[in-house]
Amino acid sequence: ACYERAWAASHHRLARAQRSLGHHCMAHRQWAEAIEHYQTALDLNALFAKSWFAMGCAAMQTGDMGRALVAFSRVVSLCP
């Protein structure tokens, strides 16, 4: 709830709030919701390799191998 309030208070500019919501969804196996939160966060700041990796894992869980490939490719480009 705190991160949702932070997201609203920042006028939808605080990428950390979306990353944290993504982590929360991953912990509760809410794969599709995690992907949405990570995508929003990465649209704001694409330099977080851990978020790309987590989004790739969530995409694999949903069977979206295209999105997983893109996410894992970004991880490798950020952290060779």
Coordinates of all heavy atoms in Angstrom, one line a residue:
A1 N 0.8 -1.2 0.0 CA 0.0 0.0 0.0 C 0.9 1.3 0.0 O 0.5 2.2 -0.6 CB -0.9 0.0 1.2
C2 N 2.0 1.2 0.7 CA 2.9 2.4 0.8 C 3.5 2.7 -0.6 O 3.5 3.9 -1.0 CB 4.0 2.1 1.8 SG 3.4 2.0 3.5
Y3 N 3.8 1.7 -1.3 CA 4.4 1.9 -2.7 C 3.4 2.4 -3.6 O 3.7 3.2 -4.5 CB 5.1 0.7 -3.2 CG 6.4 0.4 -2.5 CD1 6.6 -0.7 -1.7 CD2 7.5 1.3 -2.6 CE1 7.8 -0.9 -1.0 CE2 8.7 1.1 -1.9 CZ 8.8 0.0 -1.1 OH 10.0 -0.2 -0.5
E4 N 2.1 2.0 -3.5 CA 1.1 2.5 -4.3 C 0.8 4.0 -4.0 O 0.6 4.7 -5.0 CB -0.2 1.7 -4.1 CG -0.1 0.3 -4.7 CD -1.2 -0.6 -4.4 OE1 -2.2 -0.2 -3.7 OE2 -1.2 -1.8 -4.9
R5 N 0.9 4.3 -2.8 CA 0.7 5.8 -2.4 C 1.9 6.6 -2.9 O 1.7 7.7 -3.4 CB 0.6 5.9 -0.9 CG -0.8 5.6 -0.4 CD -0.9 6.0 1.0 NE 0.1 5.4 1.8 CZ 0.0 4.7 2.9 NH1 -1.2 4.5 3.4 NH2 1.0 4.2 3.6
A6 N 3.1 6.0 -2.8 CA 4.3 6.7 -3.4 C 4.2 6.9 -4.9 O 4.5 7.9 -5.4 CB 5.6 5.9 -3.0
W7 N 3.7 5.9 -5.6 CA 3.5 6.0 -7.0 C 2.5 7.1 -7.3 O 2.8 7.9 -8.2 CB 3.0 4.6 -7.5 CG 2.7 4.6 -9.0 CD1 1.5 4.4 -9.6 CD2 3.6 4.7 -10.1 NE1 1.6 4.4 -10.9 CE2 2.9 4.6 -11.3 CE3 5.0 5.0 -10.1 CZ2 3.5 4.8 -12.5 CZ3 5.6 5.1 -11.4 CH2 4.8 5.0 -12.6
A8 N 1.4 7.2 -6.6 CA 0.4 8.2 -6.9 C 1.0 9.6 -6.5 O 0.8 10.5 -7.3 CB -0.8 7.9 -6.1
A9 N 1.6 9.7 -5.4 CA 2.2 11.0 -4.9 C 3.3 11.5 -5.8 O 3.4 12.7 -6.0 CB 2.7 10.8 -3.5
S10 N 4.0 10.6 -6.5 CA 5.0 11.0 -7.4 C 4.5 11.4 -8.8 O 5.3 11.7 -9.7 CB 6.1 9.9 -7.6 OG 5.6 8.9 -8.4
H11 N 3.2 11.4 -9.0 CA 2.6 11.6 -10.3 C 3.1 10.6 -11.3 O 3.4 11.0 -12.5 CB 2.8 13.1 -10.7 CG 2.3 14.1 -9.8 ND1 0.9 14.3 -9.6 CD2 2.9 14.9 -8.9 CE1 0.8 15.2 -8.6 NE2 2.0 15.6 -8.2
H12 N 3.3 9.4 -10.9 CA 3.6 8.3 -11.7 C 5.0 8.4 -12.3 O 5.2 8.1 -13.5 CB 2.6 8.1 -12.8 CG 1.2 7.8 -12.2 ND1 0.3 7.0 -12.9 CD2 0.6 8.2 -11.1 CE1 -0.8 7.0 -12.1 NE2 -0.6 7.6 -11.0
R13 N 6.0 8.9 -11.5 CA 7.3 9.0 -12.0 C 8.3 8.3 -11.1 O 9.5 8.3 -11.5 CB 7.7 10.5 -12.0 CG 7.0 11.3 -13.0 CD 7.4 12.7 -13.0 NE 6.9 13.3 -11.7 CZ 7.0 14.6 -11.3 NH1 7.7 15.4 -12.1 NH2 6.6 15.0 -10.2
L14 N 7.9 7.7 -10.0 CA 8.9 7.0 -9.1 C 9.0 5.5 -9.5 O 8.2 4.7 -9.2 CB 8.4 7.1 -7.7 CG 9.3 6.5 -6.6 CD1 10.6 7.3 -6.6 CD2 8.6 6.6 -5.2
A15 N 10.0 5.2 -10.3 CA 10.3 3.9 -10.8 C 10.5 2.9 -9.6 O 10.1 1.7 -9.7 CB 11.5 3.9 -11.7
R16 N 11.1 3.4 -8.5 CA 11.3 2.5 -7.4 C 10.0 1.9 -6.9 O 10.0 0.7 -6.5 CB 12.1 3.2 -6.3 CG 12.4 2.3 -5.2 CD 13.2 2.9 -4.1 NE 13.4 2.0 -3.0 CZ 14.0 2.3 -1.9 NH1 14.4 3.5 -1.7 NH2 14.2 1.4 -0.9
A17 N 9.0 2.6 -6.8 CA 7.7 2.1 -6.3 C 7.2 1.0 -7.2 O 6.8 0.0 -6.7 CB 6.7 3.3 -6.3
Q18 N 7.4 1.1 -8.5 CA 6.9 0.1 -9.4 C 7.8 -1.2 -9.3 O 7.3 -2.3 -9.4 CB 6.9 0.6 -10.9 CG 5.7 1.5 -11.1 CD 4.4 0.9 -11.0 OE1 4.2 -0.2 -11.5 NE2 3.5 1.5 -10.3
R19 N 9.1 -1.0 -9.1 CA 10.0 -2.1 -9.0 C 9.7 -2.9 -7.7 O 9.6 -4.1 -7.7 CB 11.5 -1.6 -8.9 CG 12.0 -1.2 -10.2 CD 13.6 -1.1 -10.2 NE 14.0 -0.2 -9.1 CZ 14.2 1.1 -9.2 NH1 13.9 1.7 -10.4 NH2 14.6 1.8 -8.2
S20 N 9.4 -2.1 -6.6 CA 9.0 -2.8 -5.4 C 7.7 -3.5 -5.5 O 7.5 -4.6 -4.9 CB 8.9 -1.7 -4.2 OG 10.2 -1.2 -4.0
L21 N 6.7 -2.9 -6.2 CA 5.5 -3.7 -6.4 C 5.7 -4.9 -7.2 O 5.1 -5.9 -7.0 CB 4.5 -2.7 -7.1 CG 3.9 -1.6 -6.2 CD1 3.2 -0.6 -7.0 CD2 3.0 -2.2 -5.1
G22 N 6.6 -4.8 -8.2 CA 7.0 -6.0 -9.0 C 7.6 -7.1 -8.1 O 7.3 -8.3 -8.2
H23 N 8.5 -6.7 -7.2 CA 9.1 -7.7 -6.3 C 8.0 -8.3 -5.4 O 8.1 -9.5 -5.2 CB 10.1 -7.0 -5.4 CG 11.3 -6.5 -6.1 ND1 11.9 -7.1 -7.2 CD2 12.0 -5.3 -5.9 CE1 13.0 -6.4 -7.6 NE2 13.0 -5.3 -6.8
H24 N 7.1 -7.5 -5.0 CA 6.0 -8.1 -4.1 C 5.2 -9.1 -4.9 O 4.8 -10.2 -4.4 CB 5.1 -6.9 -3.6 CG 3.9 -7.4 -2.9 ND1 4.0 -7.8 -1.6 CD2 2.6 -7.5 -3.2 CE1 2.8 -8.1 -1.2 NE2 1.9 -8.0 -2.2
C25 N 4.8 -8.8 -6.1 CA 4.1 -9.7 -7.0 C 4.8 -11.0 -7.3 O 4.3 -12.0 -7.3 CB 3.7 -9.0 -8.3 SG 2.4 -7.7 -8.0
M26 N 6.1 -10.8 -7.5 CA 7.0 -12.0 -7.7 C 6.9 -12.9 -6.5 O 6.8 -14.2 -6.6 CB 8.4 -11.7 -8.0 CG 8.6 -11.0 -9.4 SD 8.4 -12.2 -10.7 CE 10.0 -13.1 -10.6
A27 N 7.0 -12.4 -5.3 CA 7.0 -13.2 -4.1 C 5.7 -13.9 -3.9 O 5.7 -15.0 -3.3 CB 7.3 -12.3 -2.9
H28 N 4.6 -13.3 -4.4 CA 3.3 -14.0 -4.3 C 2.9 -14.7 -5.6 O 1.7 -15.0 -5.7 CB 2.3 -12.9 -3.9 CG 2.5 -12.4 -2.5 ND1 3.3 -11.3 -2.2 CD2 2.0 -12.9 -1.3 CE1 3.3 -11.1 -0.9 NE2 2.5 -12.1 -0.4
R29 N 3.8 -14.9 -6.5 CA 3.6 -15.7 -7.7 C 2.5 -15.1 -8.6 O 1.8 -15.8 -9.2 CB 3.3 -17.1 -7.4 CG 4.5 -17.8 -6.7 CD 4.2 -19.3 -6.4 NE 5.3 -19.9 -5.8 CZ 6.0 -20.8 -6.4 NH1 5.8 -21.2 -7.6 NH2 7.1 -21.4 -5.8
Q30 N 2.4 -13.8 -8.6 CA 1.5 -13.0 -9.4 C 2.3 -12.6 -10.6 O 2.7 -11.4 -10.7 CB 0.9 -11.9 -8.7 CG 0.1 -12.3 -7.5 CD -0.3 -11.2 -6.6 OE1 0.3 -10.1 -6.5 NE2 -1.4 -11.4 -5.8
W31 N 2.5 -13.5 -11.6 CA 3.5 -13.2 -12.6 C 3.0 -12.1 -13.6 O 3.8 -11.2 -13.9 CB 3.7 -14.5 -13.4 CG 4.0 -15.7 -12.6 CD1 3.2 -16.9 -12.6 CD2 5.0 -15.9 -11.7 NE1 3.8 -17.8 -11.7 CE2 4.9 -17.2 -11.1 CE3 6.1 -15.2 -11.3 CZ2 5.7 -17.7 -10.2 CZ3 7.0 -15.7 -10.3 CH2 6.8 -17.0 -9.8
A32 N 1.8 -12.1 -14.0 CA 1.3 -11.1 -15.0 C 1.4 -9.7 -14.4 O 1.8 -8.7 -15.0 CB -0.1 -11.4 -15.4
E33 N 1.0 -9.6 -13.1 CA 1.0 -8.3 -12.4 C 2.5 -7.8 -12.2 O 2.8 -6.7 -12.4 CB 0.3 -8.4 -11.1 CG -1.2 -8.6 -11.2 CD -1.5 -10.1 -11.2 OE1 -0.6 -10.9 -11.4 OE2 -2.7 -10.4 -11.2
A34 N 3.4 -8.8 -11.9 CA 4.8 -8.4 -11.8 C 5.3 -7.9 -13.1 O 6.1 -6.9 -13.1 CB 5.6 -9.6 -11.3
I35 N 5.0 -8.5 -14.2 CA 5.5 -8.0 -15.5 C 5.0 -6.6 -15.7 O 5.8 -5.8 -16.2 CB 5.0 -9.0 -16.6 CG1 5.7 -10.3 -16.5 CG2 5.2 -8.3 -18.0 CD1 5.1 -11.4 -17.4
E36 N 3.7 -6.3 -15.4 CA 3.2 -5.0 -15.7 C 4.0 -3.9 -14.8 O 4.4 -2.9 -15.3 CB 1.7 -4.9 -15.3 CG 0.8 -5.7 -16.2 CD -0.6 -5.7 -15.7 OE1 -1.0 -4.7 -15.0 OE2 -1.3 -6.6 -16.1
H37 N 4.2 -4.3 -13.6 CA 5.0 -3.3 -12.7 C 6.4 -3.1 -13.2 O 6.9 -2.0 -13.2 CB 5.0 -3.8 -11.2 CG 3.6 -3.7 -10.6 ND1 2.9 -2.5 -10.5 CD2 2.8 -4.7 -10.0 CE1 1.8 -2.7 -9.9 NE2 1.7 -4.0 -9.6
Y38 N 7.1 -4.2 -13.5 CA 8.4 -4.1 -14.0 C 8.5 -3.3 -15.3 O 9.4 -2.5 -15.5 CB 9.1 -5.5 -14.2 CG 9.5 -6.1 -12.9 CD1 9.1 -7.4 -12.5 CD2 10.3 -5.5 -12.0 CE1 9.5 -8.0 -11.4 CE2 10.7 -6.1 -10.8 CZ 10.3 -7.3 -10.5 OH 10.6 -7.9 -9.3
Q39 N 7.6 -3.6 -16.2 CA 7.6 -2.9 -17.5 C 7.4 -1.4 -17.3 O 8.1 -0.6 -17.9 CB 6.5 -3.4 -18.4 CG 6.6 -2.8 -19.8 CD 7.9 -3.2 -20.5 OE1 8.1 -4.4 -20.7 NE2 8.7 -2.3 -20.9
T40 N 6.5 -1.0 -16.4 CA 6.3 0.4 -16.1 C 7.6 1.0 -15.5 O 8.0 2.1 -15.9 CB 5.1 0.6 -15.1 OG1 4.0 0.0 -15.7 CG2 4.9 2.1 -14.8
A41 N 8.2 0.3 -14.5 CA 9.4 0.8 -13.9 C 10.6 0.9 -15.0 O 11.3 1.9 -15.0 CB 9.9 -0.1 -12.8
L42 N 10.7 -0.1 -15.8 CA 11.8 -0.1 -16.8 C 11.5 0.9 -17.9 O 12.5 1.4 -18.5 CB 12.0 -1.5 -17.3 CG 12.5 -2.4 -16.3 CD1 12.4 -3.9 -16.7 CD2 14.0 -2.1 -15.9
D43 N 10.3 1.3 -18.2 CA 10.0 2.4 -19.1 C 10.5 3.7 -18.6 O 10.9 4.6 -19.4 CB 8.5 2.5 -19.4 CG 8.0 1.3 -20.3 OD1 8.8 0.6 -20.9 OD2 6.7 1.1 -20.3
L44 N 10.5 3.9 -17.3 CA 11.0 5.1 -16.6 C 12.5 5.1 -16.5 O 13.1 6.1 -16.7 CB 10.4 5.3 -15.3 CG 8.9 5.5 -15.2 CD1 8.3 5.4 -13.8 CD2 8.6 6.9 -15.8
N45 N 13.1 3.9 -16.2 CA 14.5 3.8 -16.0 C 14.9 2.4 -16.4 O 14.7 1.5 -15.6 CB 14.9 4.2 -14.6 CG 16.4 4.3 -14.4 OD1 17.2 3.8 -15.3 ND2 16.9 4.8 -13.3
A46 N 15.6 2.3 -17.5 CA 15.9 0.9 -18.1 C 17.2 0.4 -17.6 O 17.7 -0.6 -18.1 CB 15.8 1.0 -19.6
L47 N 17.9 1.0 -16.6 CA 19.2 0.6 -16.2 C 19.3 -0.4 -15.1 O 20.3 -0.5 -14.5 CB 20.0 1.8 -15.9 CG 20.2 2.8 -17.1 CD1 21.0 4.0 -16.7 CD2 20.9 2.1 -18.3
F48 N 18.2 -1.1 -14.7 CA 18.1 -2.0 -13.6 C 18.1 -3.4 -14.1 O 17.1 -4.0 -14.4 CB 16.9 -1.7 -12.7 CG 17.1 -0.4 -11.9 CD1 16.7 0.8 -12.4 CD2 17.7 -0.5 -10.6 CE1 16.9 1.9 -11.7 CE2 17.8 0.7 -9.9 CZ 17.5 1.9 -10.4
A49 N 19.3 -4.0 -14.1 CA 19.5 -5.4 -14.7 C 18.7 -6.4 -13.8 O 18.1 -7.3 -14.4 CB 20.9 -5.8 -14.7
K50 N 18.6 -6.2 -12.5 CA 17.8 -7.1 -11.7 C 16.3 -7.1 -12.0 O 15.7 -8.1 -12.0 CB 18.0 -6.8 -10.2 CG 19.4 -7.1 -9.7 CD 19.5 -6.8 -8.2 CE 21.0 -7.1 -7.8 NZ 21.1 -6.9 -6.3
S51 N 15.8 -5.9 -12.4 CA 14.4 -5.9 -12.8 C 14.2 -6.5 -14.1 O 13.2 -7.2 -14.3 CB 14.0 -4.4 -12.8 OG 14.0 -3.9 -11.5
W52 N 15.1 -6.3 -15.0 CA 15.0 -7.0 -16.3 C 15.0 -8.5 -16.1 O 14.2 -9.3 -16.7 CB 16.1 -6.6 -17.3 CG 16.0 -5.3 -17.9 CD1 16.7 -4.2 -17.7 CD2 15.0 -4.9 -18.9 NE1 16.2 -3.1 -18.5 CE2 15.2 -3.6 -19.2 CE3 14.0 -5.7 -19.6 CZ2 14.4 -2.9 -20.2 CZ3 13.2 -5.0 -20.5 CH2 13.4 -3.7 -20.8
F53 N 15.9 -9.0 -15.3 CA 16.0 -10.4 -15.0 C 14.7 -11.0 -14.4 O 14.2 -12.0 -14.8 CB 17.2 -10.8 -14.1 CG 17.4 -12.2 -13.9 CD1 18.0 -13.0 -14.8 CD2 16.9 -12.8 -12.7 CE1 18.2 -14.4 -14.6 CE2 17.1 -14.2 -12.5 CZ 17.7 -15.0 -13.4
A54 N 14.2 -10.3 -13.4 CA 13.0 -10.7 -12.7 C 11.8 -10.7 -13.7 O 11.0 -11.6 -13.7 CB 12.7 -9.8 -11.5
M55 N 11.8 -9.7 -14.6 CA 10.7 -9.6 -15.6 C 10.8 -10.8 -16.5 O 9.8 -11.4 -17.0 CB 10.7 -8.3 -16.3 CG 9.5 -8.2 -17.2 SD 9.2 -6.6 -17.9 CE 10.4 -6.5 -19.2
G56 N 12.0 -11.2 -16.9 CA 12.3 -12.3 -17.8 C 11.8 -13.6 -17.1 O 11.1 -14.4 -17.8
C57 N 12.1 -13.8 -15.8 CA 11.6 -14.9 -15.1 C 10.1 -15.0 -15.1 O 9.5 -16.1 -15.3 CB 12.2 -15.0 -13.7 SG 14.0 -15.2 -13.7
A58 N 9.4 -13.9 -14.8 CA 8.0 -13.8 -14.7 C 7.4 -14.1 -16.1 O 6.4 -14.8 -16.2 CB 7.5 -12.4 -14.2
A59 N 8.0 -13.6 -17.1 CA 7.5 -13.8 -18.5 C 7.6 -15.3 -18.8 O 6.7 -15.9 -19.5 CB 8.3 -13.0 -19.5
M60 N 8.7 -16.0 -18.4 CA 8.8 -17.4 -18.6 C 7.7 -18.2 -17.9 O 7.1 -19.1 -18.5 CB 10.2 -17.9 -18.2 CG 11.3 -17.6 -19.1 SD 12.9 -18.2 -18.5 CE 12.6 -19.9 -18.3
Q61 N 7.4 -17.7 -16.7 CA 6.3 -18.4 -16.0 C 4.9 -18.3 -16.7 O 4.1 -19.2 -16.5 CB 6.2 -17.8 -14.6 CG 7.3 -18.2 -13.7 CD 7.4 -19.6 -13.3 OE1 6.4 -20.3 -13.2 NE2 8.6 -20.1 -13.2
T62 N 4.7 -17.2 -17.4 CA 3.5 -17.0 -18.1 C 3.5 -17.6 -19.5 O 2.5 -17.6 -20.2 CB 3.1 -15.5 -18.2 OG1 4.1 -14.8 -19.0 CG2 2.9 -14.9 -16.8
G63 N 4.7 -18.0 -19.9 CA 4.8 -18.6 -21.3 C 5.1 -17.6 -22.3 O 5.1 -17.9 -23.5
D64 N 5.4 -16.4 -22.0 CA 5.7 -15.3 -22.9 C 7.2 -15.3 -23.2 O 7.9 -14.5 -22.7 CB 5.2 -14.0 -22.4 CG 5.3 -12.8 -23.4 OD1 5.9 -13.1 -24.5 OD2 4.8 -11.7 -23.1
M65 N 7.6 -16.2 -24.1 CA 9.0 -16.4 -24.3 C 9.6 -15.2 -25.1 O 10.8 -14.9 -25.0 CB 9.3 -17.7 -25.1 CG 8.9 -18.9 -24.3 SD 9.8 -18.9 -22.7 CE 8.9 -20.1 -21.8
G66 N 8.8 -14.6 -25.9 CA 9.3 -13.4 -26.6 C 9.7 -12.3 -25.7 O 10.8 -11.7 -25.8
R67 N 8.9 -12.0 -24.7 CA 9.2 -11.0 -23.7 C 10.4 -11.4 -22.8 O 11.2 -10.6 -22.5 CB 8.0 -10.7 -22.8 CG 8.2 -9.5 -21.9 CD 7.0 -9.3 -21.0 NE 5.8 -9.0 -21.7 CZ 5.3 -7.8 -21.7 NH1 5.8 -6.8 -21.0 NH2 4.2 -7.5 -22.4
A68 N 10.4 -12.7 -22.5 CA 11.5 -13.2 -21.7 C 12.9 -13.1 -22.5 O 13.9 -12.7 -21.9 CB 11.3 -14.7 -21.4
L69 N 12.9 -13.3 -23.8 CA 14.1 -13.2 -24.6 C 14.5 -11.7 -24.6 O 15.7 -11.5 -24.4 CB 13.8 -13.7 -26.0 CG 15.0 -13.5 -27.0 CD1 16.2 -14.4 -26.5 CD2 14.5 -13.9 -28.4
V70 N 13.6 -10.8 -24.8 CA 14.0 -9.4 -24.7 C 14.5 -9.0 -23.4 O 15.6 -8.3 -23.3 CB 12.8 -8.5 -25.1 CG1 13.0 -7.1 -24.9 CG2 12.3 -8.8 -26.6
A71 N 13.9 -9.4 -22.3 CA 14.3 -9.1 -21.0 C 15.7 -9.6 -20.7 O 16.6 -8.9 -20.2 CB 13.3 -9.6 -19.9
F72 N 15.9 -10.9 -21.0 CA 17.2 -11.5 -20.7 C 18.3 -10.9 -21.6 O 19.5 -10.8 -21.2 CB 17.2 -13.0 -20.8 CG 16.4 -13.7 -19.7 CD1 15.4 -14.7 -20.0 CD2 16.5 -13.3 -18.4 CE1 14.7 -15.3 -19.1 CE2 15.8 -13.9 -17.4 CZ 14.9 -14.9 -17.7
S73 N 18.0 -10.5 -22.8 CA 18.9 -9.9 -23.7 C 19.4 -8.5 -23.1 O 20.5 -8.1 -23.1 CB 18.4 -9.6 -25.1 OG 18.1 -10.9 -25.7
R74 N 18.4 -7.8 -22.5 CA 18.8 -6.5 -21.8 C 19.7 -6.8 -20.6 O 20.6 -6.0 -20.4 CB 17.5 -5.8 -21.4 CG 16.7 -5.3 -22.5 CD 17.4 -4.2 -23.4 NE 17.8 -3.0 -22.7 CZ 17.1 -1.9 -22.7 NH1 16.0 -1.8 -23.4 NH2 17.6 -0.9 -22.0
V75 N 19.4 -7.8 -19.9 CA 20.3 -8.1 -18.7 C 21.7 -8.3 -19.2 O 22.7 -7.7 -18.7 CB 19.8 -9.4 -18.0 CG1 20.9 -9.8 -16.9 CG2 18.5 -9.2 -17.4
V76 N 21.9 -9.1 -20.3 CA 23.3 -9.4 -20.8 C 23.9 -8.1 -21.3 O 25.1 -7.9 -21.2 CB 23.2 -10.5 -21.8 CG1 24.5 -10.7 -22.5 CG2 22.7 -11.8 -21.2
S77 N 23.1 -7.2 -21.9 CA 23.7 -6.0 -22.5 C 24.1 -5.0 -21.4 O 25.1 -4.3 -21.5 CB 22.7 -5.3 -23.4 OG 21.6 -4.8 -22.7
L78 N 23.4 -5.1 -20.2 CA 23.7 -4.2 -19.1 C 24.9 -4.8 -18.3 O 25.7 -4.1 -17.7 CB 22.5 -4.0 -18.2 CG 21.4 -3.1 -18.8 CD1 20.2 -3.2 -17.9 CD2 21.9 -1.7 -19.0
C79 N 24.9 -6.1 -18.1 CA 25.9 -6.8 -17.3 C 26.5 -8.0 -18.1 O 26.2 -9.1 -17.9 CB 25.3 -7.3 -16.0 SG 24.6 -6.1 -15.0
P80 N 27.5 -7.7 -19.0 CA 28.0 -8.7 -19.8 C 28.8 -9.7 -18.9 O 29.0 -10.8 -19.2 CB 29.0 -8.0 -20.8 CG 28.9 -6.6 -20.5 CD 28.0 -6.4 -19.3

